[in-house]
Amino acid sequence: MKQLTENQLMDNWNKLLQLIKDTFEDGSERREKLLKMYHDLEERMIVAPASGKEEYHYCYVGGYVNHVLHVCETALEVSKTYEKVGGHKDWTDEELIFSAMHHDLGKVGDLVGEYYIPQDNDWRRKTLGEVFTHNTDIQNMRVTDRALFLLQHYGVSVSLKETLAIKLSDGLYDEANPYYLKVFDAKRSLKNHLPYIIHWADHMATQAEFDEWKRGDDDNKEEMESKLENIKNISVGKTETKQEHTDEVLENKHKDLFDELFGDKS
Ligand SMILES: [Fe+2]
């Protein structure tokens, strides 16, 4: 598992705080309330991972902040590309950064406790690569719903555009989202495109993070590749090796991967 040094953890944290200061107007209520929220959640947020399984995205201490910075950066690029290819930019950079910055806020947990806790089952750690597991002591909620709850708890105003961008950041990988995204009636389609930009940015950043994990650091590249190969070949509780069964297992694993990357399966 990748390990960030204390300096790297603090560098990323300071970059995130600086991004808030650069994005939101000095002295504005939104900036002050955001800084209060970040101050309260600081200890937990600095060390939170972005996912729970080793082969998923940024599954390591400090992965959450790293992922958020990555999605903010990617969202700015996707936004520029969208305009460049003829799209109409109907959002501001502040709305873009705000939505990207908080799309996964629910992964930090709630007022009671953290969302990801270390997996203490040795077999699951070693065999399934589960480094972290979900904390069942906190209320079971979708990550995006918890994000919106936390923002309202701290009195941070969230526009309708930003609400939908956070809510729909997992796109169609979230079972709750077809209601908004598969409407088959132009009159009911989204009134602006920020939710698409945030979803594309999150999807792209996440895939790139997976590629980064596969490549591994130079000194443990072989170890990473062998772990990935082992994980691909796992079929829990089954010993059959028939082709059709293997396909089914792999298909389910593929679905699990997407659920973990973009969903909130508890
Ligand atoms: Fe994300």
Side-chain angles (χ1 to χ4, degrees):
M1 182 178 67
K2 180 168 175 163
Q3 283 187 316
L4 299 184
T5 64
E6 200 176 323
N7 279 346
Q8 287 171 319
L9 290 172
M10 291 317 296
D11 274 359
N12 284 340
W13 177 247
N14 289 330
K15 272 187 209 161
L16 187 57
L17 291 185
Q18 192 57 50
L19 186 57
I20 294 171
K21 290 171 185 165
D22 290 345
T23 305
F24 304 98
E25 194 184 338
D26 194 7
S28 66
E29 193 181 346
R30 187 142 97 144
R31 173 164 149 164
E32 294 314 309
K33 290 191 168 167
L34 277 176
L35 288 174
K36 161 78 174 135
M37 179 180 81
Y38 279 80
H39 176 264
D40 284 2
L41 297 174
E42 176 174 345
E43 278 186 27
R44 201 193 292 167
M45 203 182 277
I46 288 175
V47 296
S51 70
K53 286 193 180 180
E54 191 164 2
E55 78 273 27
Y56 295 167
H57 68 311
Y58 285 4
C59 171
Y60 51 81
V61 170
Y64 170 81
V65 173
N66 222 1
H67 173 65
V68 165
L69 290 170
H70 194 198
V71 175
C72 288
E73 181 192 359
T74 310
L76 286 166
E77 294 299 325
V78 172
S79 175
K80 277 190 259 175
T81 303
Y82 189 71
E83 273 193 291
K84 195 174 167 188
V85 298
H88 171 57
K89 182 179 173 182
D90 50 6
W91 58 89
T92 64
D93 283 345
E94 179 176 324
E95 289 168 328
L96 180 83
I97 295 294
F98 180 86
S99 307
M101 191 178 276
H102 299 108
H103 79 283
D104 268 346
L105 181 63
K107 289 185 176 176
V108 170
D110 63 13
L111 306 176
V112 173
E114 61 266 65
Y115 177 55
Y116 286 116
I117 53 174
Q119 172 58 271
D120 56 11
N121 180 314
D122 226 33
W123 182 87
R124 296 191 73 89
R125 278 181 73 92
K126 287 180 181 157
T127 314
L128 302 179
E130 282 181 10
V131 181
F132 301 96
T133 187
H134 297 154
N135 178 7
T136 51
D137 288 343
I138 66 170
Q139 177 60 50
N140 182 37
M141 281 177 99
R142 312 296 295 180
V143 165
T144 51
D145 291 344
R146 194 182 296 111
L148 292 166
F149 163 74
L150 281 174
L151 289 166
Q152 72 76 35
H153 174 80
Y154 281 94
V156 178
S157 61
V158 186
S159 71
L160 180 58
K161 212 183 281 186
E162 293 160 344
T163 299
L164 286 172
I166 292 170
K167 169 91 188 139
L168 303 178
S169 58
D170 290 333
L172 289 171
Y173 296 109
D174 185 328
E175 290 156 15
N177 292 346
Y179 179 81
Y180 294 92
L181 298 172
K182 286 172 80 172
V183 293
F184 304 114
D185 176 358
K187 292 194 198 94
R188 296 179 65 229
S189 62
L190 293 173
K191 308 292 187 221
N192 70 80
H193 296 124
L194 184 60
Y196 294 119
I197 302 297
I198 297 300
H199 172 53
W200 293 332
D202 185 37
H203 196 178
M204 188 182 293
T206 303
Q207 292 301 324
E209 289 162 17
F210 178 63
D211 289 349
E212 190 183 309
W213 179 84
K214 272 201 299 184
R215 280 194 303 273
D217 298 331
D218 285 344
D219 56 354
N220 63 1
K221 188 170 167 47
E222 272 183 34
E223 186 191 341
M224 284 291 184
E225 282 174 356
S226 126
K227 277 183 179 170
L228 186 63
E229 204 48 44
N230 286 341
I231 286 162
K232 273 185 192 163
N233 291 328
I234 288 170
S235 66
V236 181
K238 310 275 181 176
T239 53
E240 299 159 68
T241 53
K242 283 189 293 185
Q243 186 59 40
E244 61 270 25
H245 177 73
T246 304
D247 288 348
E248 187 188 322
V249 169
L250 287 177
E251 194 179 312
N252 286 340
K253 283 192 66 60
H254 193 61
K255 183 179 181 304
D256 286 346
L257 175 62
F258 279 118
D259 284 346
E260 179 66 20
L261 292 174
F262 299 108
D264 174 17
K265 302 289 178 198
S266 295

